[in-house]
Amino acid sequence: MLAAPRNCVNLIIAAGGPAWGLDFSMTSHSLPPRLVLGTARAFRASLLECVGRAPVVLDGSAVEAVDTAGLQVLLAAARTARARGGELVLERCSPTLRRVLELTGLSERLQPIEGHAP
Amino acid sequence: MSERVLEGYREELLALLQPLEADLLDLEKGQEPDGVGKVFRAVHNIKSAAALIGLQAAAGAAHALESLLEAMRDGTQPTNRTTITRLLGGVDALRALVRGEDGPAVQAALAALAHAPAEAWPASAPPSRRLRIALALQEDALERALDPLVLLSAVGELGTVERARLELSRLPDLEALVPERLYLAFELVLATSASAQELRSVFLFAEGSGTLEVEELAPAPGPGEAQEEGPAGGAISTLVVPARRVDALVDLSAELLIASTQVEHLRQEGVSSWDGRMESACREALRLASRIQEAAMAIRLVPLEPTFVMLRRFVRETSARLGKEVDVELKGGQTELDRSVAERLLDSLKHLVRNSLDHGIEAPAERRAAGKPPRGRLVLSAREEQRQVALTVEDDGRGIDPERVRATAISRGLIAPDAALPEAEALKLIFEPGFSTAREAGELSGRGVGLDVVRSNLMDLGGDLSVASRVGQGTCLALSVPLTLAVLEGLVVSAAGERLVVPLDVVEQLVHPGAGQIARLPDGRFVLRMPTGVVPILRPPGIEGPEAPRGGGVALIVSTHQGGRAALHVDEVLAQESVLLKPLHRGLRMGEGVLGAAIVGDGRVALVLDVAQLTARAAGDGAAQPVLLGGRVPVALSTKEVS
């Protein structure tokens, strides 16, 4: 059986509004406003704590700045979540976050979460 | 209707579209008396089928195609390039709809089918350039305040980002990640009217910190013109397989079950493994297992025909864009090869065809001045040749001038100015990395996306690429790819302490030559005297040893499809085995005469000989040449999986 190629990451980005219909026992976190080199270590530490076997929902509405360091942490977290049997879900992405997803081609992997509209 | 049944019907519809495309291309050439009628009937069938299984949107698209074809039949619409382009666009739209995809491109193509005046569909004015920008900075870039995302964002402001891609293979897990280190590389396609100066200024501070590639891409095509990445050929989840191949597999599985049961019975009876019955029962089971493997691989074989149709369209669109007139001849479309190899081959072939159209075939005026017919000729041919598929891309264009190649290589620092190179060697320089034409913005080191990439892609597949050319007459590029990862039945032999595998299908007989049977010709060649005549003796590649073969040992008399006959003189024939042929790692290319490597029964690595090449060479140029990498075959051969 082939292992999944290393050059991919599973990141679920909820299109549109909040991901209704999700089981509320899933942990949900607000992403801090600055996902940048200076805050990357702290960001990584907090993600390491919550990434596990349950899906983790990250609310991106407060994100004002993203740089490569912050993006790397996010993508590595998505990969680790998958490896641990969980999942990383991004919802309510701010315009800044959306722009980053566009520039990196990640927005093409939009997978809307099945759910009931609010 | 269940999804699985629907899927099967979809596949059948898609299969009908491919001959339809070929018919449209033929229609453009105007060779069939009732060409329009034929295409009309084909589209009508597709429309009925689509409606029957409930694909209304696809049926609607087919209807639009039908009505344009009707107008062509009546004469109210001409059968010219413009209408054919609209029809091809309609076929692309139909294909997308059958797959369940829709979108603005599909709608635009369908709108173009309406009986608009027969002018070219006015495409929206394309932006001035499309650039592919790839940025890979060094690991410590972030620490030096160089952030690729920030740079790309600035570049993104200069135009529209058509698409983007991340290179993630170096990204570790969250635990191992060091936030200050850079693990990502980026790539995007930008449509922009910015100047080279503006682009360069964005990356000014990043100079010297990594690699930046900027490549200008062809302008975005309008509807009906093929996309760079090609329509069809996306991931197919179902296969159309001839029933007899499945039957063969089923039969073999049943036989294997019987054979294995036999082994089990013997074992339970306490029969020892030295017993002849046990030995032959095990051998039978192994034989069947390897035949099953072959049969399973055969199921993945697809003909090259669909690839050829895609290339025809590609030639049509590209030659128009370049202002060249080209006739394409295709030979050997029924040649089969492994599905995944075929998919990966398409890009290489497109690249070579594009080169031919761009640099090889001249514009009509230049051709007339050279006394050539104004329409260029491009011949694509494929044939199966001993476990490989050999393809050629041949044109009757201006050929490759070895002097210019030499000059370019010198100017790129690839060879010394005074290096003396025979013509054949000079031509090979076009495969050197860095040979391709200059990059755009900036002096950051870039890699040419050229023939070196095509060749290495082919070598990764276990194949190769070579070129032959005559100035003023044309160029021929010869590719080879492995047919499949099939199992090869071969004789494992030992020669000078090394293991070699000789494919069984070329072995005629084995003889034990006495010293008197080996003779030396006046031209230095050694031959074997046989009752039927004299046969040249080959030295197997990779083998050191005395120049003159002595008596003793074993000579395998081999003969190839081309009619060549030779003798391979070795020390001993060890066993007959089924081996899995693996391509050699690129860095270990042994030159001619080697198909690949295999791991033989005793666990050692053996070279598998390409007997056709060896015999051809022996017939051609006299004394068996020493191979490029003389001496012992390294023990740790890195054999690469072809997936």
Side-chain angles (χ1 to χ4, degrees):
Chain A
M1 231 206 7
L2 292 174
R6 283 289 291 175
N7 192 29
C8 76
V9 133
N10 293 284
L11 187 63
I12 298 181
I13 303 165
W20 298 104
L22 290 176
D23 182 357
F24 282 99
S25 64
M26 271 183 247
T27 40
S28 168
H29 302 254
S30 252
L31 285 174
R34 299 182 61 73
L35 300 178
V36 296
L37 186 57
T39 56
R41 284 210 171 256
F43 184 33
R44 174 173 162 270
S46 59
L47 279 178
L48 268 173
E49 271 177 55
C50 64
V51 157
R53 281 211 256 126
V56 172
V57 179
L58 297 174
D59 184 317
S61 48
V63 172
E64 286 165 23
V66 184
D67 70 5
T68 305
L71 181 64
Q72 285 184 160
V73 173
L74 193 60
L75 294 177
R79 187 172 267 173
T80 303
R82 233 330 143 90
R84 291 183 186 177
E87 206 74 70
L88 207 64
V89 180
L90 275 188
E91 63 170 17
R92 295 209 275 200
C93 300
S94 68
T96 308
L97 193 48
R98 281 207 175 277
R99 181 64 177 154
V100 167
L101 296 174
E102 255 173 52
L103 280 174
T104 49
L106 289 169
S107 54
E108 279 161 33
R109 313 240 203 111
L110 281 171
Q111 290 179 47
I113 305 280
E114 294 295 328
H116 328 295
Chain B
M1 182 179 305
S2 84
E3 182 53 45
R4 225 177 47 182
V5 175
L6 184 59
E7 173 95 26
Y9 280 125
R10 272 191 228 257
E11 284 304 323
E12 279 189 39
L13 269 182
L14 287 173
L16 286 174
L17 288 178
Q18 178 227 312
L20 179 60
E21 246 180 331
D23 286 341
L24 277 174
L25 291 168
D26 286 339
L27 184 61
E28 196 175 16
K29 286 208 275 195
Q31 284 164 353
E32 288 241 22
D34 185 29
V36 178
K38 185 174 176 205
V39 175
F40 181 90
R41 287 187 290 276
V43 171
H44 189 76
N45 277 345
I46 292 173
K47 182 176 90 166
S48 317
L52 202 64
I53 61 178
L55 296 180
Q56 296 308 334
H63 184 82
L65 279 167
E66 248 186 3
S67 75
L68 178 53
L69 284 162
E70 223 168 3
M72 285 159 76
R73 215 165 43 171
D74 300 337
T76 51
Q77 285 282 329
T79 307
N80 61 11
R81 193 195 160 80
T82 315
T83 37
I84 300 283
T85 303
R86 285 153 67 191
L87 287 170
L88 286 171
V91 171
D92 289 339
L94 183 52
R95 187 180 280 124
L97 288 169
V98 169
R99 287 208 174 106
E101 299 152 6
D102 199 344
V106 170
Q107 294 307 319
L110 291 178
L113 286 173
H115 304 181
E119 309 298 338
W121 185 254
S124 51
S128 41
R129 285 187 311 174
R130 285 172 84 221
L131 299 173
R132 182 186 73 92
I133 300 170
L135 185 62
L137 295 181
Q138 289 159 357
E139 247 187 8
D140 61 351
L142 296 182
E143 292 176 69
R144 298 196 282 122
L146 281 174
D147 192 316
L149 202 51
V150 168
L151 292 175
L152 280 184
S153 182
V155 153
E157 298 301 320
L158 294 175
T160 318
V161 174
E162 280 188 18
R163 56 173 207 278
R165 206 181 63 93
L166 270 182
E167 169 61 47
L168 292 158
S169 50
R170 280 172 37 228
L171 186 71
D173 296 325
L174 193 55
E175 285 192 32
L177 178 95
V178 176
E180 295 80 21
R181 218 178 274 174
L182 175 61
Y183 300 98
L184 304 178
F186 301 76
E187 184 182 308
L188 52 76
V189 172
L190 185 74
T192 177
S193 39
S195 69
Q197 183 66 16
E198 285 175 90
L199 282 165
R200 210 173 296 147
S201 64
V202 169
F203 295 104
L204 200 56
F205 291 110
E207 272 185 47
S209 309
T211 54
L212 170 71
E213 282 169 43
V214 180
E215 182 198 358
E216 177 156 352
L217 301 176
E225 308 277 330
Q227 306 289 321
E228 275 287 331
E229 289 71 45
I236 311 172
S237 54
T238 53
L239 275 180
V240 175
V241 178
R244 62 188 153 81
R245 289 203 174 132
V246 178
D247 291 341
L249 194 55
V250 170
D251 288 343
L252 285 170
S253 321
E255 285 184 57
L256 177 61
L257 189 58
I258 295 171
S260 327
T261 315
Q262 178 75 345
V263 173
E264 181 58 17
H265 277 158
L266 290 174
R267 192 191 67 81
Q268 283 178 0
E269 282 174 36
V271 174
S272 95
S273 25
W274 303 108
D275 188 309
R277 287 176 292 166
M278 181 60 103
E279 204 182 304
S280 65
C282 287
R283 196 186 298 267
E284 177 68 4
L286 260 176
R287 183 190 72 87
L288 285 167
S290 97
R291 283 190 61 193
I292 282 181
Q293 209 269 347
E294 268 195 46
M297 293 307 291
I299 280 180
R300 284 166 51 113
L301 293 178
V302 293
L304 272 171
E305 194 66 60
T307 309
F308 276 179
V309 174
M310 283 191 253
L311 285 168
R312 272 181 81 179
R313 275 192 72 173
F314 182 70
V315 170
R316 179 180 183 271
E317 271 95 52
T318 311
S319 60
R321 212 180 299 148
L322 294 169
K324 311 273 172 79
E325 289 171 22
V326 182
D327 288 322
V328 183
E329 244 179 80
L330 300 161
K331 301 185 194 166
Q334 72 286 357
T335 311
E336 291 184 315
L337 70 174
D338 186 276
R339 194 183 105 216
S340 60
V341 173
E343 279 168 26
R344 285 150 80 166
L345 198 56
L346 179 63
D347 277 336
S348 301
L349 286 172
K350 274 164 105 168
H351 199 119
L352 297 176
V353 165
R354 195 186 298 127
N355 268 4
S356 245
L357 296 175
D358 205 354
H359 307 296
I361 296 189
E362 315 92 324
E366 193 183 326
R367 286 181 67 88
R368 262 189 230 106
K372 293 185 184 175
R375 291 187 73 83
R377 200 164 155 251
L378 186 66
V379 181
L380 292 167
S381 79
R383 71 180 188 286
E384 189 186 317
E385 220 177 51
Q386 203 193 337
R387 295 292 163 188
Q388 304 250 311
V389 170
L391 297 113
T392 59
V393 177
E394 200 176 334
D395 67 57
D396 65 350
R398 53 170 79 98
I400 304 177
D401 183 352
E403 283 314 312
R404 287 187 60 188
V405 171
R406 230 191 291 260
T408 310
I410 291 174
S411 75
R412 298 227 188 291
L414 295 169
I415 54 171
D418 54 358
L421 281 178
E423 186 175 308
E425 292 299 314
L427 279 185
K428 284 197 208 162
L429 287 169
I430 61 177
F431 296 126
E432 288 296 313
F435 189 85
S436 309
T437 45
R439 298 294 99 211
E440 278 264 298
E443 286 310 315
L444 301 185
S445 65
R447 266 172 315 161
V449 177
L451 289 173
D452 60 315
V453 175
V454 176
R455 184 153 183 258
S456 62
N457 286 343
L458 280 173
M459 287 169 91
D460 282 344
L461 285 176
D464 205 348
L465 179 61
S466 63
V467 64
S469 178
R470 277 225 177 87
V471 175
Q473 290 184 23
T475 306
C476 177
L477 286 141
L479 306 85
S480 66
V481 280
L483 186 59
T484 169
L485 272 191
V487 165
L488 196 65
E489 200 68 28
L491 287 180
V492 183
V493 303
S494 84
E498 295 302 332
R499 297 272 184 274
L500 299 170
V501 177
V502 182
L504 199 58
D505 57 359
V506 296
V507 178
E508 243 184 43
Q509 55 177 290
L510 305 183
V511 299
H512 296 274
Q517 278 176 277
I518 297 175
R520 188 177 187 151
L521 295 183
D523 64 4
R525 275 190 294 169
F526 287 100
V527 292
L528 189 68
R529 267 197 267 261
M530 298 279 295
T532 45
V534 155
V535 173
I537 298 184
L538 302 175
R539 171 117 58 81
I543 303 300
E544 252 178 9
E547 271 294 329
R550 293 173 310 229
V554 182
L556 294 92
I557 311 296
V558 293
S559 67
T560 61
H561 304 296
Q562 289 83 355
R565 258 177 119 225
L568 214 48
H569 193 215
V570 301
D571 295 334
E572 219 190 314
V573 172
L574 297 170
Q576 180 180 325
E577 282 183 19
S578 306
V579 296
L580 190 62
L581 180 68
K582 293 177 195 261
L584 285 181
H585 188 277
R586 222 184 304 151
L588 286 166
R589 293 303 281 191
M590 302 286 290
E592 294 185 340
V594 174
L595 274 182
I599 300 187
V600 293
D602 61 2
R604 289 174 59 166
V605 177
L607 290 182
V608 180
L609 299 184
D610 183 344
V611 173
Q613 269 188 356
L614 291 172
T615 38
R617 218 205 289 149
D621 58 18
Q625 304 288 345
V627 354
L628 300 179
L629 280 188
R632 296 196 142 263
V633 173
V635 168
L637 259 188
S638 158
T639 55
K640 214 165 170 241
E641 299 283 340
V642 173
S643 56

